[in-house]
Amino acid sequence: MKQKEGNKKGWSNSVKKIAIGAAVVLISLGGVAAVEKAQSSTDKSSMEKSVDSQEEKMKTEAIQQEEKKDQASIHKNEEQEEPNQSSQEKANQAENSVEPNQSIEEAAKQQNKSIPDMKAEEEEKVKEKEIEEEKAQETKEQKETKPTVDEEEKTDKENKEEKKQDNVSSSSENKQEQASAQQSQNQTTPSTPELPTAPSNEENREEKVVYLTFDDGPSTHTQEILQILDAHNAKGTFFMLGPNMKRFPEATKAIVEGGHEPALHGVSHDAHQIYQSKDTVVGEMKEAQNDLYHLTGVRTNLIRTPYGSVPYMKPEYLEAVHQNGFELWDWNIDSLDWKYKDARYVNGVIQDIETKSFKEPVILLHDKQTTAQHLNDLLDYLSAHGYKMKPLDDTLPVVHF
């Protein structure tokens, strides 16, 4: 019994061993198949990866070739525009870039980045490079355009400078010509003498001047005579009688106010009365002087005795009037208007002016109607021949017979 149980137990153990061995064999075979399957899957994956890697490598190489060109252009622009770029920045760019002939996988492995991230970065870099290339092209175009503008400005500036130099040269030449002409003129033309100072009254005698004197007024014709004188811008001297000044005070004042010279002719106009003595001569002149002063507020020392100083004014008479401050005036042209009652006196005056050598004619006229009627003709002649008609004054040398 025990023997049977022992055999049965041994059989059972053998069966167990066989089963275990078969299981091991089966497990081994399954493992081999799994390994082969896994190996096959790995080989397939490797092949796929290798194909993908080759494609990616080709793409990368193509991109890298373009990048080389772009980088060469960019580096050239960077060398021109940013020569002082730091080496650290260049190192960072090299560190984060795919080296030439380096696959993306290798670059990703080297930089501890995933392949998708590496691809994304490379695509971003390509875009950035395209943008930089566009900017570089714009900068290049601007630089190519700017020299043209600068050249135009430079040309304009040069033209202006040339024009300025031409003007300076022309001005200098003109100054030299003027200096030469002036020097030549100074050598051939004698120097102009200095102009004399303002001439005195005596030197003024070179000027054509005539003195119109009117005796025996004022009268009813004085205003008419004054109007004719004013029309010719002429001034006269009026030797007036005391009684007539009192009779025609307005005419007396008009003579003074018109810028004419008031003068004295005595009182009586009677030779038997005025020439009785030196005192009667001086007395009549003083009386007339006072009459003029009371009417006009003006005093004058200019006198003319009736009929002139010859033959009635004796030497003592002349001395007496001189001692009393009077200046005695005669004339050098007698118009004879006291004789002729028509225009003949005008012709007589013109004839005397043209035939006698008086530098400054002092013309005797009278304050009367016939004189006034033809006075305009005489003044027309004098004006046409350049004579200035002025009044007498105490600065002139007196005229005596």
Side-chain angles (χ1 to χ4, degrees):
M1 222 22 217
K2 288 180 182 180
Q3 184 69 32
K4 290 182 179 180
E5 289 177 357
N7 291 335
K8 188 177 180 179
K9 188 175 178 180
W11 171 251
S12 176
N13 291 333
S14 296
V15 171
K16 288 180 180 181
K17 290 179 179 180
I18 291 168
I20 292 169
V24 170
V25 171
L26 289 175
I27 291 169
S28 298
L29 292 175
V32 171
V35 169
E36 290 178 352
K37 184 176 181 180
Q39 183 67 36
S40 177
S41 175
T42 301
D43 293 341
K44 185 177 180 180
S45 176
S46 298
M47 289 178 67
E48 289 177 355
K49 287 182 178 180
S50 177
V51 172
D52 291 340
S53 176
Q54 292 294 329
E55 291 178 356
E56 290 293 334
K57 186 175 182 180
M58 292 176 66
K59 290 181 181 180
T60 302
E61 289 178 352
I63 291 171
Q64 288 173 351
Q65 293 296 328
E66 294 296 326
E67 288 176 354
K68 287 180 180 180
K69 296 180 181 179
D70 295 340
Q71 287 174 354
S73 175
I74 292 170
H75 288 326
K76 185 177 181 180
N77 293 331
E78 287 176 350
E79 289 176 357
Q80 293 176 352
E81 296 177 358
E82 301 177 0
N84 296 324
Q85 186 178 15
S86 66
S87 58
Q88 183 63 36
E89 291 177 351
K90 292 182 180 179
N92 292 336
Q93 290 177 357
E95 182 179 353
N96 295 325
S97 300
V98 177
E99 297 293 334
N101 301 322
Q102 185 183 30
S103 65
I104 294 177
E105 289 80 7
E106 293 174 350
K109 183 178 180 181
Q110 181 180 352
Q111 299 179 22
N112 297 323
K113 294 180 181 179
S114 64
I115 293 174
D117 292 340
M118 196 68 189
K119 286 183 179 179
E121 287 182 3
E122 290 299 319
E123 290 177 356
E124 185 67 21
K125 289 178 181 179
V126 170
K127 290 181 181 179
E128 289 177 356
K129 289 176 181 179
E130 289 176 353
I131 294 172
E132 290 177 357
E133 185 178 358
E134 290 177 357
K135 290 182 178 180
Q137 185 66 25
E138 291 178 357
T139 303
K140 183 178 180 181
E141 292 176 355
Q142 290 176 356
K143 288 184 177 181
E144 290 176 352
T145 305
K146 185 176 181 181
T148 303
V149 176
D150 292 341
E151 287 296 330
E152 292 178 354
E153 293 178 353
K154 184 178 180 180
T155 303
D156 292 340
K157 186 175 181 180
E158 290 176 352
N159 292 334
K160 290 180 180 179
E161 288 295 330
E162 290 178 359
K163 187 174 181 181
K164 184 177 180 181
Q165 291 295 332
D166 292 340
N167 292 335
V168 171
S169 178
S170 177
S171 176
S172 177
E173 290 176 359
N174 291 335
K175 288 181 179 179
Q176 290 178 357
E177 291 177 359
Q178 292 176 358
S180 298
Q182 183 66 32
Q183 184 177 3
S184 176
Q185 183 178 1
N186 292 337
Q187 292 175 353
T188 57
T189 304
S191 59
T192 303
E194 294 183 0
L195 295 176
T197 57
S200 63
N201 289 327
E202 292 184 359
E203 292 170 336
N204 270 334
R205 293 177 186 177
E206 297 300 326
E207 186 180 32
K208 293 178 70 173
V209 179
V210 63
Y211 298 98
L212 305 174
T213 62
F214 299 87
D215 286 6
D216 300 344
S219 70
T220 56
H221 307 288
T222 302
Q223 296 288 1
E224 182 182 358
I225 291 172
L226 293 176
Q227 291 175 1
I228 295 170
L229 292 172
D230 289 342
H232 290 80
N233 195 27
K235 300 300 179 183
T237 303
F238 291 80
F239 291 97
M240 296 178 286
L241 296 168
N244 288 347
M245 286 189 279
K246 294 177 181 178
R247 184 178 177 187
F248 301 102
E250 296 303 323
T252 303
K253 295 176 183 177
I255 290 170
V256 174
E257 293 170 356
H260 305 279
E261 183 67 25
L264 308 174
H265 199 39
V267 176
S268 65
H269 206 280
D270 186 339
H272 297 290
Q273 293 185 23
I274 189 171
Y275 295 119
Q276 291 179 13
S277 66
K278 62 179 181 181
D279 294 332
T280 55
V281 173
V282 173
E284 285 200 16
M285 294 303 169
K286 285 187 175 181
E287 184 178 345
Q289 187 182 53
N290 290 331
D291 291 337
L292 175 65
Y293 176 76
H294 290 311
L295 290 170
T296 65
V298 175
R299 287 188 179 276
T300 182
N301 60 346
L302 304 183
I303 66 171
R304 173 176 287 164
T305 56
Y307 314 110
S309 62
V310 176
Y312 300 105
M313 289 293 291
K314 299 176 182 180
E316 59 268 27
Y317 295 180
L318 295 173
E319 181 65 23
V321 297
H322 179 70
Q323 289 178 352
N324 283 273
F326 295 109
E327 291 186 357
L328 177 63
W329 281 83
D330 287 315
W331 56 88
N332 50 31
I333 292 180
D334 187 352
S335 69
L336 300 179
D337 63 339
W338 53 271
K339 178 179 179 181
Y340 299 115
K341 310 300 181 184
D342 50 33
R344 283 180 291 177
Y345 86 85
V346 175
N347 296 330
V349 172
I350 293 173
Q351 184 177 1
D352 286 346
I353 290 174
E354 293 179 349
T355 59
K356 296 179 180 180
S357 59
F358 298 124
K359 290 184 178 179
E360 294 180 348
V362 179
I363 303 173
L364 172 64
L365 296 161
H366 291 81
D367 191 341
K368 55 188 295 187
Q369 182 178 2
T370 54
T371 299
Q373 288 175 349
H374 304 284
L375 180 62
N376 190 70
D377 296 336
L378 176 59
L379 300 191
D380 284 343
Y381 169 85
L382 295 173
S383 297
H385 287 75
Y387 283 95
K388 293 184 178 180
M389 292 159 272
K390 296 183 177 181
L392 298 174
D393 61 55
D394 56 7
T395 65
L396 298 172
V398 295
V399 173
H400 290 298
F401 294 149

